Amino acid sequence: MNDALLTTSLGEIPLTARGKVRDLYAIGDELVFIATDRISAFDHVLGSGIPDKGKILTQLSHFWFEFLADTVANHLLAEPSAKLLELLAPFKQQIAGRSMIVKRAEMFPVECVVRGYISGSGWKDYLATGSVCGIELPTGLRESDKLPEPIFTPAAKINIGGHDENISYATMVETIGAQYAAELKRLSFAIYEKASAHAASKGLILADTKFEFGLVGGQIVLADEVLTPDSSRYWPAISYAPGGAQPSFDKQYVRDYLESIRWNKQAPAPSLPDEVIVKTREKYLEAFRLLTGRDGLEVNE
Ligand code: Q0Z
């Protein structure tokens, strides 16, 4: 099995950025995100893709933007220009079901992370300092414990490939100003509250998640992808067991395979056996079905 889309090319339409898994094109103030089927693990993009992963994550993002519409404005463009649609027409095959046409925003250079549970870089910081992004936490927390209340732990965007760096809220204020910082923090909590309650009702813990915001015509909009397994940690509530790392909802088969072959985590990254690809694809679909209540992907022409 591999009819995964690993890379896109849209002819004359200029590529603005290639992320680990998404390709970004721009025509004036209209941007086209295409989520490919690339998958990363241990900081590398792997040799194999997961068929439909880009469609699943894009359609999940669309679900969340709509679910959150009363809470926050977003960067989706309701009516792409006729000119853009005409330019994109020859590339329907690559784009269908996996693209997001959005308004160009002035992006805030901070990642807005909300954590309801202590994991990942938050756990590392806590072990080293007893706090995360300058927020003091109770002593005696175990890895993956639920926090007394969600915390806002901003990070500075480094560059593509580089790791974001946790910063204090004070540093965020210095970077974007007190008013924007307060508003992004308020919105981030409001979104996390609403999304984590929905996830919980479907048997999923939203352990933490990362948002990116920008300004469009002076209005704050939620941008980028939202609440996908690539930007969030979801754990099945049924197997939640603090006191260690939780298995990844989506990538555990991939990680287990990479550990089993004792890959040294240096380029070139390996390809995946079919069984790992198929099982991982099923996990992305499972998350999609649980969260959206839909049976499967919107079929595209
Ligand atoms: C998002 C990224 C990707 C590499 C730029 N609405 C917006 N306006 C302007 N810029 C962005 C957005 Cl979302 C924007 N990124 C992140 C995405 C590949 C980097 F697909 N960069």
Side-chain angles (χ1 to χ4, degrees), residues 34-60:
I34 307 177
T36 69
D37 295 331
R38 299 193 292 267
I39 183 172
S40 68
F42 302 121
D43 278 339
H44 292 261
V45 176
L46 305 182
S48 311
I50 306 297
D52 295 332
K53 172 175 179 278
K55 292 185 183 179
I56 297 166
L57 269 55
T58 297
Q59 293 180 32
L60 186 55

Side-chain angles (χ1 to χ4, degrees), residues 185-207:
K185 179 178 172 177
R186 183 190 72 77
L187 284 168
S188 297
F189 277 133
I191 297 164
Y192 179 80
E193 288 304 333
K194 195 164 181 209
S196 59
H198 176 73
S201 78
K202 307 298 180 184
L204 292 175
I205 293 170
L206 177 60

Side-chain angles (χ1 to χ4, degrees), residues 16-25 31-34 75 100 102-107 157 160 212 216 221 223-225:
T16 293
R18 238 191 252 288
K20 279 209 178 110
V21 307
R22 292 173 306 151
D23 295 345
L24 181 58
Y25 293 83
L31 274 54
V32 183
F33 273 98
I34 307 177
H75 67 157
M100 233 167 30
V102 310
K103 296 175 239 187
R104 185 185 294 280
E106 232 183 293
M107 299 298 290
K157 289 187 206 175
I160 291 187
E212 296 201 28
V216 175
V221 297
D224 211 87
E225 64 178 332

Side-chain angles (χ1 to χ4, degrees), residues 108 110 112 152 154 167-189 213 220:
F108 290 103
V110 283
C112 293
F152 180 69
I167 58 173
S168 67
Y169 183 71
T171 299
M172 178 174 175
V173 167
E174 283 167 23
T175 309
I176 67 169
Q179 292 215 307
Y180 283 133
E183 186 59 5
L184 297 194
K185 179 178 172 177
R186 183 190 72 77
L187 284 168
S188 297
F189 277 133
F213 294 93
I220 295 176

